[in-house]
Amino acid sequence: MKYYPIFLNVKDRPCLVAGGGQVGARKAKTLVSAGAWVTVVSPEFCDHLAEMPGIRKIQRCFDPKDLDQIFLVFAATGDTAVNRQIQNLARKARVLCNSADAPDQGDFILPAVMNRGDLICAVSTCGASPALARKIRMDLDQAYGPEYATFLVLMKAVREKLLASGHDPDGHKHIFRTMMERNLPGLVAANDMAAIDAVMQELLGSQFNVKELIPQ
Ligand SMILES: C[C@@]1(CC(=O)O)c2cc3[nH]c(cc4nc(cc5[nH]c(cc(n2)[C@H]1CCC(=O)O)[C@@](C)(CC(=O)O)[C@@H]5CCC(=O)O)C(CC(=O)O)=C4CCC(=O)O)c(CCC(=O)O)c3CC(=O)O
Ligand SMILES: NC(=O)C1=CN([C@@H]2O[C@H](COP(=O)(O)OP(=O)(O)OC[C@H]3O[C@@H](n4cnc5c(N)ncnc54)[C@H](O)[C@@H]3O)[C@@H](O)[C@H]2O)C=CC1
């Protein structure tokens, strides 16, 4: 495996994007959606970035001081020499760096992402074919609709309630696996709460009901 896949917690962490083109805009957008504090430094900003809320924009060329206190940096300028400079400085400062024009030389690359509430599917081809990563992401978009966000709220609530009443890993495993076989997402999509309640009663007993577990 060429890369080690992890899910980073960037909430409230300062992240820097150097370069205000389309690539910088894509990186800034995903950082904002994960709750990071995002600064974009660039002499020019594309329309997409100019209109993007929730980011700090500094209109000038990258300066080494921009890396102070930074958790993650994206070297996404249109200038290869500047991108290499950012990467070298980041390494010395032990700041994780993504290198837009030389991904192999950076510390990490980004996957194509399908997101439904707490469900995140990340697809990478290790940079071999971003077009294929995008295609598989779109397949996942089709296969797992918005109902999976609600289904996951239900699964989480059931799990928390079961764990609160005691630890029984083998018994719980059986319940969760059976729940996976009962097409609950399909019932969520059809808004058939009575059918979901029937499954819950059968597997878990009357104290588990949808109204309580999925706040409307
Ligand atoms: C290494 C990486 C960047 C990193 O993270 O460091 C990288 C690098 C490069 N991409 C290039 C081009 C394209 N990128 C896309 C699309 C996406 N690229 C994304 C990620 C990544 N792209 C990382 C590796 C991902 C992996 O593991 O596969 C996605 C998944 C996520 C995102 O960008 O946020 C997003 C899909 C989002 C979605 O829709 O879900 C398309 C397709 C399209 O737009 O239709 C094309 C044109 C077709 C093609 O080239 O395949 C070029 C220029 C090559 C050239 O010069 O021609 C480079 C530079 C290079 O390869 O050197
Ligand atoms: N990782 C990826 O998915 C992809 C990466 N690339 C690479 O990413 C880089 C950026 O691509 P685009 O956004 O399309 O380019 P672009 O040319 O549209 O944007 C580059 C931005 O960098 C800014 N810039 C130039 N010098 C700078 C400096 N010294 N400090 C800060 N900002 C500076 C420019 O003002 C501009 O806003 C290119 O090197 C390209 O080869 C290209 C396509 C996909």
Side-chain angles (χ1 to χ4, degrees), residues 26-27 30 98-103 108-113 123-131 133-134 137:
R26 274 216 312 268
K27 311 299 185 193
T30 43
N98 171 275
S99 194
D101 59 351
F108 65 95
I109 62 171
L110 294 188
V113 176
V123 181
S124 178
T125 65
C126 298
S129 172
R134 179 171 184 271
R137 190 266 301 161

Side-chain angles (χ1 to χ4, degrees), residues 109-120:
I109 62 171
L110 294 188
V113 176
M114 181 281 247
N115 182 205
R116 307 263 183 248
D118 279 350
L119 176 65
I120 307 174

Side-chain angles (χ1 to χ4, degrees), residues 17-27 41-46 49 60-63 75-80 82-83 85-86 98-103 130:
V17 178
Q22 290 302 332
V23 172
R26 274 216 312 268
K27 311 299 185 193
V41 60
S42 181
E44 287 175 320
F45 298 99
C46 67
L49 267 172
R60 56 159 170 75
C61 284
F62 167 81
D63 181 282
T77 79
D79 185 328
T80 305
V82 174
N83 289 345
Q85 183 204 8
I86 296 171
N98 171 275
S99 194
D101 59 351

Side-chain angles (χ1 to χ4, degrees), residues 53-125:
I55 56 171
R56 186 164 70 122
K57 280 162 250 175
I58 304 179
Q59 190 157 17
R60 56 159 170 75
C61 284
F62 167 81
D63 181 282
K65 283 199 187 65
D66 295 332
L67 285 176
D68 287 353
Q69 310 298 323
I70 289 296
F71 178 60
L72 283 183
V73 60
F74 290 85
T77 79
D79 185 328
T80 305
V82 174
N83 289 345
R84 289 299 74 67
Q85 183 204 8
I86 296 171
Q87 201 185 300
N88 291 333
L89 288 167
R91 183 149 299 165
K92 282 192 193 116
R94 296 181 184 277
V95 178
L96 290 179
C97 180
N98 171 275
S99 194
D101 59 351
D104 281 351
Q105 291 173 42
D107 296 310
F108 65 95
I109 62 171
L110 294 188
V113 176
M114 181 281 247
N115 182 205
R116 307 263 183 248
D118 279 350
L119 176 65
I120 307 174
C121 297
V123 181
S124 178
T125 65

Side-chain angles (χ1 to χ4, degrees), residues 157-167 172 175-176 204 208:
V158 168
R159 185 164 187 271
E160 280 172 357
K161 190 163 171 160
L162 277 175
L163 288 178
S165 65
H167 283 264
H172 293 169
I175 291 170
F176 292 131
L204 294 151
F208 286 77

Side-chain angles (χ1 to χ4, degrees), residues 189-201:
N191 207 20
D192 192 345
M193 297 305 159
I196 299 175
D197 259 338
V199 173
M200 306 270 281
Q201 301 242 344

